[in-house]
Amino acid sequence: MPEYPEYLAAVVFAVGGVVSALLAPHRFSTAVLFCLAVTSAGLGVAVRSAADHPTVATVLAVGALLLALALGVLLLADGVLLVRRFGPQAALVATGASGCAVLAVLGLDAVFHVVGGEAFGVLVVAVNAVAGYLILLFLVFAGYVFARGRSAPLPDTTHVVVLGAGLDGDRPGPLLTRRLERALAIDAAPAPDTPRVVFVLSGGQGDDEVRSEADAMADYLRGRGVPADRIVREDRSVNTGQNLRFSAALVDGTAPGRRATVVTSGFHVYRTTLLARRVGVPVHVVGAPTSPAYWLAATLREFAAVLWLDRLLLVGLSLLLAVPVATAVFQQ
């Protein structure tokens, strides 16, 4: 094992991932450790297979190339489509820019195969390791988001908390409308003789909004036949953490034996669950459907937001990638 330090790094990361999974299975740092393990092992396999098993190295390289190319093209195309549809919003531009970054890495690889050079090769190994790690981490995160976004509501739900989203004028926008429809579906699911749920509508008034999101949601539900006595408004929150804390206080003050299900967009379920644990609010979160064209851009934004939640820990862990990268470089 000492002869293969990049494999030793992979084993250490994998053991750390197992320990993290046992102690804190829902933290994204667990996925970070496993992705570091895979990246370290991949570097070792790539470096050694290039000399000992060139066919294996070629197959791995082509597979990684096709995966990265598909992701880069998809991100770029999605970003362009969304910017043309909704205008140059920061999150949408970032989606296209991320696709360009992936394609730029592939372009760097192509240039290296033409130009060559030892110093250039060191740069290419380092850039590919970092890019491969981030792509793998994003794909794992996308899997988290997809799985969590399909969660079912709690049985015998007594309260449905709907988290606010942007308004279209004075009415709920498309994202918020889907969340409200998901909440209404939860209310309609139980047997007819089951007590109907109470809707807790959580969302303040943004700087660019003409009214609070809670008020707009209340009007929408009343228009769908929900009586006013089953609508509770929380109109002070300006972020998800406040949504959860303020809504939990309202739910706790209504009745004993309450069981709350929080409704947000499917891509937002995982981060909402993490935030709920962080602020000490034990809730169950379910997702409303999202347009497929918007899902990728929204998931990329959620990825950046989750990394920011534990930025010091995750940056520290990610810097450990320097160990297997340095080992691979010295093997060149």
Side-chain angles (χ1 to χ4, degrees):
M1 185 66 72
E3 298 180 7
Y4 307 103
E6 66 272 30
Y7 293 144
L8 177 59
V11 170
V12 171
F13 290 141
V15 171
V18 171
V19 172
S20 180
L22 294 174
L23 298 179
H26 301 292
R27 295 191 66 171
F28 194 57
S29 55
T30 301
V32 171
L33 285 165
F34 282 123
C35 287
L36 286 170
V38 172
T39 304
S40 302
L43 279 169
V45 170
V47 170
R48 299 182 189 282
S49 295
D52 302 333
H53 305 285
T55 303
V56 174
T58 301
V59 170
L60 291 175
V62 170
L65 171 66
L66 292 176
L67 178 62
L69 180 62
L71 181 61
V73 170
L74 187 60
L75 285 169
L76 178 58
D78 195 45
V80 171
L81 173 66
L82 292 173
V83 167
R84 292 182 63 181
R85 181 179 299 179
F86 300 110
Q89 302 175 26
L92 309 184
V93 172
T95 302
S98 299
C100 290
V102 174
L103 296 177
V105 172
L106 298 179
L108 183 67
D109 292 344
V111 171
F112 171 68
H113 283 295
V114 174
V115 176
E118 184 175 346
F120 196 14
V122 170
L123 174 64
V124 169
V125 169
V127 170
N128 275 285
V130 174
Y133 162 66
L134 289 175
I135 289 173
L136 179 61
L137 196 59
F138 174 69
L139 292 176
V140 170
F141 179 80
Y144 273 47
V145 168
F146 180 79
R148 289 303 185 95
R150 301 171 68 86
S151 299
L154 286 174
D156 303 322
T157 291
T158 61
H159 292 71
V160 176
V161 179
V162 185
L163 304 189
L167 300 182
D168 183 4
D170 63 347
R171 298 181 179 182
L175 281 179
L176 189 50
T177 298
R178 290 189 177 97
R179 295 181 187 186
L180 291 165
E181 289 298 324
R182 181 75 169 98
L184 287 168
I186 294 173
D187 180 43
D193 57 345
T194 303
R196 308 304 292 272
V197 303
V198 174
F199 295 92
V200 180
L201 311 177
S202 180
Q205 181 175 345
D207 294 336
D208 58 345
E209 294 176 330
V210 298
R211 63 191 307 202
S212 75
E213 294 164 3
D215 286 345
M217 287 190 280
D219 284 351
Y220 184 92
L221 290 184
R222 283 199 301 269
R224 293 295 307 276
V226 178
D229 61 357
R230 290 203 290 125
I231 296 175
V232 177
R233 306 183 198 192
E234 183 289 295
D235 58 4
R236 297 183 298 142
S237 56
V238 295
N239 56 51
T240 304
Q242 290 182 0
N243 284 140
L244 295 167
R245 289 198 304 272
F246 298 162
S247 298
L250 290 175
V251 171
D252 289 342
T254 55
R258 54 220 163 263
R259 292 171 63 85
T261 292
V262 174
V263 175
T264 184
S265 298
F267 62 81
H268 192 228
V269 170
Y270 180 61
R271 182 159 68 97
T272 302
T273 303
L274 294 181
L275 284 169
R277 292 191 176 93
R278 174 165 291 198
V279 301
V281 179
V283 294
H284 182 73
V285 188
V286 301
T290 308
S291 166
Y294 188 70
W295 187 88
L296 186 61
T299 300
L300 184 63
R301 183 182 61 189
E302 292 294 297
F303 178 62
V306 167
L307 293 182
W308 183 255
L309 282 178
D310 285 317
R311 51 195 174 278
L312 295 180
L313 173 63
L314 296 179
V315 168
L317 289 175
S318 298
L319 287 176
L320 294 176
L321 184 62
V323 175
V325 169
T327 301
V329 165
F330 288 136
Q331 296 290 333
Q332 293 294 302

